[in-house]
Amino acid sequence: QVQLVESGGGVVQPGRSLRLSCAASGFPFSGYAMHWVRQVPGKGPEWVGFIWFDGSNQDYADSVKGRFTISRDNSKNTLYLQMNSLRDEDTAVYHCARGVENVVGDIFDYWGLGTLVTVSS
Amino acid sequence: EIVLTQSPGTLSLSPGDRATLFCRASQSVTTYVAWYQQKPGQAPRLLIEGASTRAIGIPGRFSGSGSGTDFTLTINRLEPEDFAVYYCQQYANTSPYTFGQGTKLEIK
């Protein structure tokens, strides 16, 4: 069965960096776009960004553009989120999600449980 | 950015009731809307895509409708496991993808 397991979260000071990982299994990872979505407890999800199946293209939310970078290693079935220059407002649970193309854009058919990132001094 | 507004914020119903949840988009998204269910401590679960198509394995008591800017998720004959938070998402404009703020369906 499809499994997505995030790791790498923790407490980090403002301005510092953190790298999250998402280990995928149960499906042909290299055939799917992958997304990062974050969620502040009690609020709606916020899309962070995505990467094409082959890693050749990415796009990001304006709130993280220039600070966050998504990459993937298809040989390791792993997705990454490099987060630099972290801010208080980046505090959230970070989920990875599998993207499935639906005509004009992706729906997110499987999500991981997420990893908590807390930015605090 | 397309803003999605969900209503009501909280819906209090009893098992066996029908739940009607709404999602309004700030501009037309045609039928490119998905609905997700999230329970505490769990990942979101895809329920509906294309405004009205149930995802694989989703029970028939869940149905979606709407087009343009107004969408509805209906849950007939509520089961105890249906009490959760529900989110709509649009994918008509993918930069960025956006979600609603959620409707909490709680037991009355």
Side-chain angles (χ1 to χ4, degrees):
Chain A
Q1 72 280 22
V2 172
Q3 279 200 308
L4 298 169
V5 180
E6 302 90 343
S7 61
V11 180
V12 61
Q13 292 180 327
R16 304 296 292 265
S17 299
L18 203 61
R19 188 177 84 154
L20 307 183
S21 299
C22 168
S25 60
F27 68 101
F29 180 71
S30 62
Y32 288 85
M34 295 296 296
H35 297 253
W36 286 98
V37 181
R38 67 186 181 184
Q39 196 170 16
V40 174
K43 298 207 168 182
E46 179 191 11
W47 177 75
V48 172
F50 93 111
I51 187 168
W52 275 10
F53 68 100
D54 61 357
S56 62
N57 188 38
Q58 305 90 38
D59 192 21
Y60 301 91
D62 285 347
S63 58
V64 307
K65 203 170 287 184
R67 300 187 299 122
F68 289 13
T69 302
I70 299 174
S71 61
R72 64 192 296 162
D73 186 337
N74 284 345
S75 69
K76 295 182 178 179
N77 290 346
T78 303
L79 175 72
Y80 302 100
L81 179 64
Q82 177 67 43
M83 303 185 294
N84 298 332
S85 303
L86 281 161
R87 305 169 180 168
D88 290 351
E89 55 265 32
D90 295 320
T91 295
V93 173
Y94 285 73
H95 301 272
C96 60
R98 189 175 83 167
V100 174
E101 189 173 355
N102 188 305
V103 186
V104 297
D106 287 357
I107 57 169
F108 310 130
D109 67 341
Y110 287 95
W111 300 56
L113 280 174
T115 186
L116 176 62
V117 173
T118 302
V119 183
S120 173
S121 53
Chain B
E1 173 174 324
I2 297 176
V3 176
L4 299 180
T5 303
Q6 292 186 241
S7 60
T10 302
L11 187 57
S12 300
L13 294 170
S14 301
D17 288 348
R18 171 186 294 175
T20 305
L21 289 65
F22 300 98
C23 176
R24 173 164 286 176
S26 59
Q27 64 190 75
S28 177
V29 293
T30 319
T31 57
Y32 302 124
V33 164
W35 289 91
Y36 300 86
Q37 175 194 69
Q38 188 175 29
K39 298 178 182 179
Q42 295 188 19
R45 174 193 183 196
L46 176 67
L47 299 175
I48 301 285
E49 61 184 272
S52 61
T53 302
R54 277 190 301 277
I56 295 171
I58 301 305
R61 63 182 182 273
F62 290 88
S63 63
S65 64
S67 66
T69 61
D70 293 300
F71 301 87
T72 303
L73 175 69
T74 301
I75 313 170
N76 288 312
R77 298 180 304 279
L78 284 167
E79 298 283 346
E81 62 267 27
D82 298 335
F83 292 91
V85 180
Y86 292 83
Y87 297 102
C88 57
Q89 175 232 334
Q90 67 79 26
Y91 50 98
N93 181 345
T94 61
S95 193
Y97 293 86
T98 52
F99 293 82
Q101 83 282 14
T103 291
K104 181 180 181 181
L105 178 57
E106 65 176 23
I107 298 178
K108 188 174 183 181

